[in-house]
Amino acid sequence: MMTATPTEMMTIAAARLLTNQDVCFVGIGAPSAACNLARLTHAPKITLIYESGTLSTRPSVLPLSIGDGELCDTALTTVAVPEMFRYWLQGGRITIGFLGGAQIDRFANLNTTVVGPYDAPKVRLPGGGGAPEIASNCGQIFITMAMGTRAFVDRLPFITSFGHGKGKGDRAALGLKTKGPTKVMTDLCVLEPDPQTAELTVVSLHPGVTREQVQAGCGWPLRFAADVAETPAATEQELSVLRDLHIRTKQAHGVAA
């Protein structure tokens, strides 16, 4: 039997959420791996869109960035970035936004800007790019992030992409009509916003993971659902397809598999 690593389990859990009917705005890295795994397994008709303007792209390897030629070469068409954001994203035509981040708080707000004070940060991060608009305009947001106390923090130094603010109702108060983050997939568990408070709550533990392990990787006291499920183990098909995808990617980018 093939056994998934924690990172593979995170990717597979995220991929399972997607369907053939989804139009998905894809982030680079773990979100891209999850979306393309779904496309190569149970959701071959999913529409994948990247920030550079590639519509219905079907890459054979994972892109290095949104400007990777693989995306344009395999897309149905490529549109200008202003059209991508104004017509497709802000026009409400995208069902799922798939994001990652450097830091996340208990209400699924994301930071990709700075660690530490903004004027004198310990680390200056890449910034938001299109993520703030994705977080606001896609029908709902799925987030993939590995757990750790440096990433799951009690208080963000900067909010780059708005999740649920300080709790339920904050999105609506800003005039946002989309659902915001509805799932956070990590290497240890799956979290969802509590229906009453919007605080992230553990709803599923990956095989072999304990509550204590999950709490040790989080910077605030976690809430657990009344009935915490166990994430179904990765299938051999899921693992084979995912690993083949990563091998092809490494070979295409000149990295020894």
Side-chain angles (χ1 to χ4, degrees):
M1 292 291 293
M2 301 171 71
T3 303
T5 67
T7 299
E8 288 173 334
M9 197 66 239
M10 174 176 67
T11 303
I12 289 167
R16 289 170 175 167
L17 299 174
L18 300 170
T19 71
N20 280 320
Q21 289 71 46
D22 282 319
V23 178
C24 189
F25 208 124
V26 189
I28 296 298
S32 185
C35 292
N36 281 286
L37 175 60
R39 180 179 62 82
L40 293 169
T41 52
H42 65 277
K45 296 182 180 180
I46 190 172
T47 300
L48 301 185
I49 296 176
Y50 286 76
E51 192 176 329
S52 51
T54 52
L55 302 180
S56 194
T57 187
R58 304 177 67 82
S60 59
V61 299
L62 296 176
L64 287 170
S65 71
I66 59 168
D68 196 314
E70 176 72 14
L71 295 176
C72 191
D73 289 345
T74 60
L76 178 65
T77 190
T78 302
V79 301
V81 172
E83 178 182 333
M84 165 61 62
F85 279 87
R86 181 66 187 94
Y87 180 80
W88 293 95
L89 180 58
Q90 295 175 344
R93 293 171 171 83
I94 299 176
T95 62
I96 304 291
F98 237 115
L99 295 176
Q103 293 182 320
I104 188 171
D105 68 10
R106 70 182 70 207
F107 295 109
N109 303 296
L110 293 172
N111 172 29
T112 55
T113 303
V114 293
V115 176
Y118 184 83
D119 293 332
K122 296 179 181 178
V123 180
R124 187 167 292 282
L125 300 166
E133 288 78 14
I134 294 169
S136 297
N137 293 284
C138 291
Q140 59 182 316
I141 300 297
F142 297 157
I143 298 169
T144 53
M145 289 180 63
M147 291 203 79
T149 52
R150 293 177 65 182
F152 283 68
V153 298
D154 184 51
R155 183 179 177 85
L156 293 180
F158 190 93
I159 295 179
T160 310
S161 302
F162 195 79
H164 295 287
K166 295 182 179 180
K168 185 177 180 180
D170 275 12
R171 290 183 68 85
L174 292 176
L176 298 176
K177 298 179 181 179
T178 52
K179 294 180 180 179
T182 57
K183 297 275 188 180
V184 178
M185 280 68 61
T186 79
D187 52 344
L188 300 178
C189 66
V190 178
L191 303 100
E192 297 178 358
D194 179 85
Q196 302 304 317
T197 66
E199 182 175 340
L200 290 177
T201 302
V202 178
V203 297
S204 177
L205 297 173
H206 297 337
V209 174
T210 66
R211 295 187 180 209
E212 290 74 21
Q213 286 176 291
V214 174
Q215 182 59 75
C218 187
W220 70 83
L222 272 171
R223 298 183 58 179
F224 290 81
D227 295 309
V228 177
E230 179 175 281
T231 310
T235 67
E236 291 195 17
Q237 183 203 20
E238 289 169 330
L239 279 174
S240 293
V241 172
L242 179 59
R243 289 174 181 177
D244 286 346
L245 176 60
H246 281 301
I247 289 171
R248 292 198 305 275
T249 300
K250 288 179 179 180
Q251 291 173 340
H253 297 156
V255 179

